[in-house]
Amino acid sequence: MNAIFEVTNLRKAFGGLTVTNDVSLSMAPGDRVALIGPNGAGKTSFVNLVTGNLRPDAGEIHIAGHNVNRIDAIGRVRRGLVRSFQVTRLFQDMTPAEHIGMAVLQRTGRSGRMFGNFLAMRDVMAETEELLGTLGLAGLAHRKVSEIAYGQQRLLEIAVAMALKPKVLLLDEPAAGVPQSDTGRIEQALADLPPDLAVLMIEHDMDLVFRFAKRVVVLAAGTIIFDGSPKDVTQDARVREAYLGSYAHARHAA
Ligand SMILES: Nc1ncnc2c1ncn2[C@@H]1O[C@H](COP(=O)(O)OP(=O)(O)O)[C@@H](O)[C@H]1O
Ligand SMILES: [Mg+2]
């Protein structure tokens, strides 16, 4: 397979708790993968490990055929591996245009410039306006993040990620916390992503998963228990058991 992103035998434990148990996963350009699993399964930890936010105990990570184990998080972004966070990490006092402008400057190696100058850089502003327009945020370009709706903040996070021109995009629950009335816009943004981009999305809303994903990977207690088609995932006995087990547990705890 022509892999743009390949993880082999990844392992991580926090004390006695194994959160990533011999995980291997490979993606080709254009893939649309949903990573699902009960709360605490290790989905966010997986993203933290591959992006360089957490150090694995074992395993290898390759981007476009190059081993990146010894490359830091910023270096991995530069090689095309970009993530969004489960909870937004935007700067409340900055505007969408400033967020995108900073990302473009970082990508083009100009982030050392004096902050604010990019508003006068025609190429940066042109790219910023185009990206915000694509995501339906043009009218909010110069508002403070604190003044825009949460659903729009999540769209802005996708825009920031896209400004880094990723080859592989990892989205950690992009619709989490967004009111039902706004999830359609996020779904549209996901549908409009470039066809050759490899996308892995962590998501709990199964309707969204089934509309987005061509392939579903299920993680339970740190282990991949299913990797296959959306059609087959609902029929899989281990998957049913993992979910039923977690629901029973949640009901017990409630
Ligand atoms: N930094 C950490 N230190 C200790 N335990 C952690 C840390 N980060 C996550 N965990 C634990 O690892 C498990 C997996 O968490 P996480 O990857 O966030 O799961 P998911 O995203 O699938 O809900 C959970 O039991 C969580 O409490
Ligand atoms: Mg998570």
Side-chain angles (χ1 to χ4, degrees), residues 83-240:
R83 60 101 48 103
S84 72
F85 288 88
Q86 184 170 353
V87 177
T88 110
R89 295 215 176 168
L90 300 168
F91 300 99
Q92 295 296 309
D93 288 335
M94 281 174 54
T95 67
E98 287 166 344
H99 277 88
I100 304 296
M102 285 209 326
V104 173
L105 288 184
Q106 185 186 325
R107 188 194 81 223
T108 53
R110 291 178 285 174
S111 51
R113 295 283 184 99
M114 272 272 287
F115 176 72
N117 268 4
F118 66 82
L119 288 170
M121 292 182 204
R122 198 174 292 175
D123 63 319
V124 177
M125 281 319 286
E127 191 175 334
T128 298
E129 277 165 24
E130 192 191 329
L131 204 44
L132 289 174
T134 304
L135 287 151
L137 297 171
L140 303 170
H142 302 293
R143 300 273 286 275
K144 282 187 178 180
V145 163
S146 59
E147 294 168 0
I148 70 177
Y150 194 69
Q152 291 163 332
Q153 294 185 24
R154 307 246 46 184
L155 285 167
L156 175 56
E157 290 197 304
I158 295 172
V160 170
M162 291 313 296
L164 297 167
K165 293 236 159 88
K167 295 191 179 80
V168 182
L169 180 61
L170 310 176
L171 299 166
D172 196 352
E173 302 195 29
V178 175
Q180 195 72 40
S181 54
D182 288 350
T183 55
R185 298 182 60 184
I186 290 175
E187 193 172 344
Q188 190 58 51
L190 299 176
D192 291 342
L193 291 171
D196 59 340
L197 179 65
V199 187
L200 179 142
M201 176 177 73
I202 297 173
E203 183 53 58
H204 284 295
D205 180 339
M206 292 308 287
D207 290 334
L208 222 165
V209 164
F210 286 124
R211 285 198 292 268
F212 167 83
K214 303 276 190 303
R215 176 177 151 208
V216 180
V217 175
V218 185
L219 204 57
T223 302
I224 291 184
I225 59 166
F226 178 91
D227 184 341
S229 76
K231 189 168 63 68
D232 292 339
V233 71
T234 51
Q235 307 301 321
D236 188 271
R238 288 180 76 187
V239 173
R240 282 166 176 256

Side-chain angles (χ1 to χ4, degrees), residues 4-15:
I4 185 73
F5 176 61
E6 186 154 36
V7 175
T8 40
N9 305 112
L10 197 68
R11 289 187 162 273
K12 178 70 180 179
F14 292 116

Side-chain angles (χ1 to χ4, degrees), residues 12-15 17-20 36-48 54 86 172-173 202 204 219 222:
K12 178 70 180 179
F14 292 116
L17 178 71
T18 299
V19 294
T20 309
I36 67 170
N39 273 330
K43 303 180 297 296
T44 297
S45 297
F46 172 79
V47 172
N48 287 335
L54 255 182
Q86 184 170 353
D172 196 352
E173 302 195 29
I202 297 173
H204 284 295
L219 204 57

